[in-house]
Amino acid sequence: MDVIGGKWKVLILWALEERPHRFGELRRALPGVSEKVLASHLRELENDRIVRREVRESVPPQVTYSLTALGSSLNEALGPLGAWGQEHVLGGAPHHARDGGQPTSGRTQRGAAVQ
């Protein structure tokens, strides 16, 4: 729980699941997160080997954040949690029940749980 603790870490992971992001892109993708909190969470996720920080030497330097294999596996583990939130917190029926018994992708379930 220490790895994903905090209001923004799971949302950062889900944003990075889509594609690598630069810092400013992540900040725009997560309205309401402060620059200080985002930088702190990214640093913690990097220290936990969940997020990879890549610096491209240019002027100015370009820093890109992406998920490591460990981060991708953590996102897979969070999928059922998102589905649970959809059903029990947001009050919606689980996605597989609404889709005629066909489960939807984990990304859709996670995204719906945080809306």
Side-chain angles (χ1 to χ4, degrees), residues 30-78:
L30 305 170
V33 67
S34 72
E35 189 171 319
K36 178 180 176 181
V37 168
L38 180 57
S40 172
H41 282 346
L42 285 169
R43 201 168 23 257
E44 290 170 11
L45 290 166
E46 184 182 4
N47 288 338
D48 290 331
R49 299 172 310 158
I50 302 298
V51 168
R52 177 182 310 109
R53 181 179 186 266
E54 297 177 48
V55 180
R56 189 173 337 155
E57 298 301 325
S58 61
V59 178
Q62 292 185 353
V63 179
T64 304
Y65 295 92
S66 59
L67 290 179
T68 63
L70 188 61
S72 292
S73 69
L74 177 57
N75 261 354
E76 289 177 25
L78 292 172

Side-chain angles (χ1 to χ4, degrees), residues 59-115:
V59 178
Q62 292 185 353
V63 179
T64 304
Y65 295 92
S66 59
L67 290 179
T68 63
L70 188 61
S72 292
S73 69
L74 177 57
N75 261 354
E76 289 177 25
L78 292 172
L81 182 61
W84 184 91
Q86 172 68 30
E87 181 177 356
H88 298 288
V89 176
L90 297 178
H95 283 89
H96 63 276
R98 284 187 273 174
D99 296 336
Q102 298 299 316
T104 59
S105 73
R107 176 69 196 131
T108 304
Q109 292 171 356
R110 289 191 302 263
V114 295
Q115 292 177 353

